[in-house]
Amino acid sequence: MLRALLLLMALATLPGPAIAQDRAAIERQFRTWLEQTIWPRARAGGVSRATFDSAFSGVRLNWDLPDLVPPGSAPRTPKTQRQSEFGAPAKYFSAGNLNAATSTGRTMARRHATTLSRVERATGVPGRIILGIWGRESAYGRAAIPHNAFQVLGTKGFMSTRAPYFTDELIAALQIAQAGHAPGAAMKSSWAGALGQPQFMPSNFLKYAADGDGDGRADIWRSEADTIASIATYLARHGWIAGRDWGFEVNVPPQVSCTLEGPDQGRRIAEWEAMGIARVSGRPFPAHERRGQGFLLMPAGRHGPAFVVTPNFYVLKDYNMSDLYALFVGHVGDRIQFGSGDFQGRWGDVGRMYRSDIAAMQRALIGMGHDVGGADGLPGFRTRRSIGRWQEASGHPATCFPTPAMTSALSR
């Protein structure tokens, strides 16, 4: 271990040509890994040598991707946050993002009304929710998807914090290429390896891609009907409950602690109502929703809007494991269909902390016995409510969101 540490320190001080030489050595390890680890798995999965060679022709490691762990180095929490779904809520819900997704979504709702209605009858997933996802993932198929999927998945499978996951996705991508599902030169992806208009990871394409236009194939790259059907199929198979909403913006009175947040602390919506939680609209919760289970959601703690969400909210999170993502999708869907306005609650200025600082805070909370869900630098619900419980135990009102001042206080 000491030898590896000294080597890394030495590499950090080497001039540019030496660093390039080290990267060249890692590139050679990458090619060996492809041949000795990936090719046997791909061959066992039905991939031909011709498909394999074509996929990796000219492919080199992409050193600009996030969360990389090159051979000989140790994993570390990045200082900054590159994924918008875990960044500042106010920026994520900017007027530009919301208005663009809503305006184009209404156009697509009219254009694809027949398909959306048919798919909703078949799956129980509302058309507005499908449109919300489609808009967020690829701007309804209009967003540029710039990366070579095999380069992204190969790089992250070879050297990232979630290497086994991305290795499995790489094999799935090769199987997609082998079966000829993607049109020519269409194996482009996001920085995470997601494909097509619904931005499916390759394994999700193999499981959930659906034929929405009746031509006998599922084409999530060129077919809007197939994209609609595929998104709905994914949500339905992940447990979408037909007839229930995704959630409601609410006012949470001071006597209701923000530490009650989370999918593991659900109770009937009528019970939340009895505690003093009410919809911001002033309207009562629908009768059938009052009987169902609901969950408190405060994605910025006391610094932003609050919600009572249903199990369907967590189905949306299965699509992308971010509270802000699921909230955005549901909100845009409501704006498309019902003309809903902005949230009444306002997002506070909570987006200036470094991810590495939040990770340090999480490690301190773990040391106190709190379950924060891991020291990953992401302020998820376990971290938020752990902060609130620490605040309450310290005799302070719970705000349930990290701030710079907490870093030093937690380290005492």
Side-chain angles (χ1 to χ4, degrees):
M1 181 66 72
L2 179 60
R3 183 181 301 172
L5 180 60
L6 292 172
L7 175 61
L8 286 173
M9 293 173 64
L11 287 173
T13 62
L14 288 177
I19 294 175
Q21 186 176 10
D22 184 63
R23 285 196 175 187
I26 294 175
E27 290 281 358
R28 290 192 293 273
Q29 292 180 48
F30 173 57
R31 301 308 302 189
T32 300
W33 176 78
L34 288 176
E35 284 297 326
Q36 296 183 357
T37 300
I38 300 304
W39 166 237
R41 284 192 58 183
R43 180 176 54 196
V47 176
S48 71
R49 185 71 204 195
T51 297
F52 183 86
D53 289 342
S54 176
F56 293 108
S57 176
V59 167
R60 296 173 61 84
L61 292 170
N62 184 340
W63 292 88
D64 294 327
L65 295 174
D67 300 327
L68 299 184
V69 186
S73 64
R76 62 181 182 86
T77 303
K79 184 175 183 180
T80 57
Q81 175 56 258
R82 290 182 59 175
Q83 190 170 353
S84 60
E85 281 81 9
F86 298 98
K91 184 177 180 180
Y92 197 78
F93 285 88
S94 70
N97 285 343
L98 289 171
N99 291 340
T102 301
S103 176
T104 307
R106 288 172 180 158
T107 299
M108 302 304 271
R110 293 189 295 269
R111 181 179 301 170
H112 298 288
T114 300
T115 299
L116 288 164
S117 178
R118 173 169 47 80
V119 169
E120 181 171 347
R121 289 194 302 271
T123 64
V125 180
R128 73 182 192 277
I129 297 297
I130 298 169
L131 291 168
I133 288 179
W134 189 12
R136 185 61 202 172
E137 292 295 344
S138 66
Y140 306 98
R142 289 158 172 74
I145 301 175
H147 299 290
N148 179 319
F150 297 111
Q151 181 187 52
V152 167
L153 295 170
T155 299
K156 295 177 83 70
F158 175 65
M159 56 173 195
S160 79
T161 54
R162 300 171 65 199
Y165 167 78
F166 286 105
T167 298
D168 290 344
E169 294 297 336
L170 177 58
I171 299 301
L174 289 165
Q175 291 172 325
I176 290 171
Q178 178 65 38
H181 291 300
M187 289 299 280
K188 296 290 186 180
S189 77
S190 70
W191 63 266
L195 306 172
Q197 296 190 44
Q199 284 291 272
F200 274 179
M201 292 304 290
S203 63
N204 285 335
F205 173 88
L206 296 175
K207 295 173 186 174
Y208 307 114
D211 177 12
D213 55 19
D215 67 353
R217 60 194 304 267
D219 183 350
I220 63 170
W221 295 271
R222 297 175 297 187
S223 171
E224 294 175 331
D226 289 3
T227 295
I228 290 168
S230 297
I231 293 171
T233 298
Y234 182 100
L235 296 178
R237 292 190 187 172
H238 279 77
W240 185 273
I241 303 170
R244 292 208 69 182
D245 210 323
W246 65 267
F248 308 88
E249 187 183 1
V250 298
N251 289 314
V252 179
Q255 69 270 19
V256 177
S257 175
C258 53
T259 64
L260 295 176
E261 181 185 8
D264 53 351
Q265 299 191 101
R267 59 187 74 195
R268 290 171 59 240
I269 290 180
E271 295 178 54
W272 291 115
E273 195 174 33
M275 295 168 65
I277 291 178
R279 294 177 67 183
V280 296
S281 65
R283 299 192 301 271
F285 292 99
H288 73 282
E289 295 285 8
R290 293 183 74 250
R291 295 188 296 269
Q293 194 173 43
F295 311 88
L296 185 62
L297 173 74
M298 301 180 73
R302 289 284 182 181
H303 303 293
F307 307 86
V308 168
V309 298
T310 77
N312 283 341
F313 178 85
Y314 294 101
V315 175
L316 295 178
K317 276 195 69 174
D318 283 333
Y319 207 100
N320 183 316
M321 289 303 295
S322 160
D323 290 326
L324 297 185
Y325 174 90
L327 196 56
F328 186 95
V329 165
H331 184 46
V332 166
D334 289 350
R335 289 166 64 100
I336 290 170
Q337 183 166 337
F338 305 125
S340 303
D342 294 338
F343 294 137
Q344 287 194 21
R346 291 292 174 260
W347 300 106
D349 186 11
V350 295
R352 295 185 178 180
M353 286 199 69
Y354 287 123
R355 182 173 170 183
S356 52
D357 289 338
I358 296 175
M361 188 181 302
Q362 289 169 324
R363 287 190 290 270
L365 288 166
I366 291 170
M368 299 177 188
H370 291 280
D371 175 13
V372 300
D376 56 6
L378 307 177
F381 76 90
R382 286 190 176 88
T383 295
R384 296 195 294 265
R385 72 188 185 193
S386 293
I387 288 171
R389 289 167 180 168
W390 165 72
Q391 290 172 314
E392 289 177 344
S394 303
H396 301 290
T399 60
C400 297
F401 206 81
T403 62
M406 292 178 188
T407 305
S408 58
L410 277 166
S411 62
R412 291 173 187 167

